[in-house]
């Protein structure tokens, strides 16, 4: 899980997950939670909730003590509260579909659901698919990953796959 946090850009969660990976207190709080991948997110979400509600201040440097002092509450939180992530990284997987559907025409996107509108800014990000790049040079956020398909995704039917460093936006949301 720590490696997933690292790849996702959260050095804090990666370091915390590594430091607590074999901690019996964490195992006690998390229990036999299924699916296992959610357990660290639920636990860290519970600690964050404690911080936002004013129960603890600056919990991360003293995390072990926060876990000990709030063991029962955190165990209930982990068991009862689902995970909701707002990760723009999912736009990386949506880009080929957006560009295929748009087919070099403007694309209006309406987002329904709990991702806080982050996907509405998909065309403001820069994307890297191996050695292929799409999006604005100098974008404040670059998303990347490894395609799971055998062949690399084509980012537009009418332009070279994912363009180059100077590729312009083939489809814009309005």
């Amino acid at each position: 899980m720590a490696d997933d946090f690292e790849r996702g850009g959260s050095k804090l969660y990666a370091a915390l997950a590594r430091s607590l990976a074999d901690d019996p207190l964490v195992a006690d709080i998390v229990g036999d939670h299924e699916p296992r991948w959610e357990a660290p997110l639920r636990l860290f979400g519970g600690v964050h909730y404690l911080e936002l509600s004013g129960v603890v201040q600056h919990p991360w440097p003293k995390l072990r003590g926060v876990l000990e002092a709030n063991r029962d509450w955190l165990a209930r939180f982990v068991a009862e509260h689902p995970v909701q992530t707002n990760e723009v990284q999912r736009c990386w997987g949506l880009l080929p579909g957006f560009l295929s559907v748009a087919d070099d025409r403007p694309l209006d996107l309406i987002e329904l659901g709990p991702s806080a509108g982050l996907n509405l800014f998909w065309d403001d990000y820069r994307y890297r698919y191996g050695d292929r790049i799409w999006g604005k040079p100098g974008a404040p956020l670059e998303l990347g990953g490894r395609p799971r398909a055998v062949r690399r995704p084509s980012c537009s039917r009418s332009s070279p796959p994912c363009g180059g460093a100077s590729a312009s936006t083939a489809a814009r949301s309005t």
Side-chain angles (χ1 to χ4, degrees):
M1 188 73 199
D3 291 341
D4 292 334
F5 287 136
E6 190 89 42
R7 279 190 296 276
S10 178
K11 292 180 182 180
L12 171 65
Y13 276 16
L16 293 171
R18 284 188 183 100
S19 71
L20 298 171
D22 298 319
D23 192 315
L25 174 60
V26 171
D28 184 45
I29 292 171
V30 170
D32 293 327
H33 185 277
E34 292 294 333
R36 299 293 299 165
W37 71 267
E38 283 188 359
L41 290 172
R42 288 178 181 231
L43 179 62
F44 297 156
V47 172
H48 194 116
Y49 183 91
L50 290 171
E51 181 179 27
L52 292 175
S53 64
V55 173
V56 295
Q57 292 182 350
H58 311 293
W60 307 113
K62 55 186 177 192
L63 184 57
R64 185 75 166 60
V66 170
L67 298 179
E68 288 172 353
N70 299 280
R71 173 188 300 207
D72 294 337
W73 186 90
L74 286 167
R76 280 192 314 278
F77 187 95
V78 168
E80 297 171 0
H81 290 272
V83 169
Q84 174 55 53
T85 60
N86 293 324
E87 298 178 14
V88 296
Q89 179 65 30
R90 61 180 76 137
C91 289
W92 181 86
L94 297 172
L95 176 69
F98 288 164
L99 296 177
S100 293
V101 169
D103 195 24
D104 288 332
R105 297 174 301 217
L107 177 65
D108 289 328
L109 183 64
I110 298 172
E111 184 176 12
L112 302 175
S115 63
L118 294 171
N119 294 329
L120 293 175
F121 298 101
W122 69 275
D123 56 347
D124 287 336
Y125 310 140
R126 188 166 172 84
Y127 299 85
R128 184 173 301 276
Y129 288 81
D131 60 348
R132 296 177 179 175
I133 298 170
W134 184 91
K136 298 177 181 178
L141 179 63
E142 181 176 296
L143 305 173
R146 286 184 303 183
R148 293 185 183 182
V150 174
R151 39 174 265 216
R152 290 183 179 162
S154 168
C155 290
S156 175
R157 287 188 228 167
S158 62
S159 65
C162 294
S166 63
S168 64
T169 303
R172 296 287 302 176
S173 63
T174 56

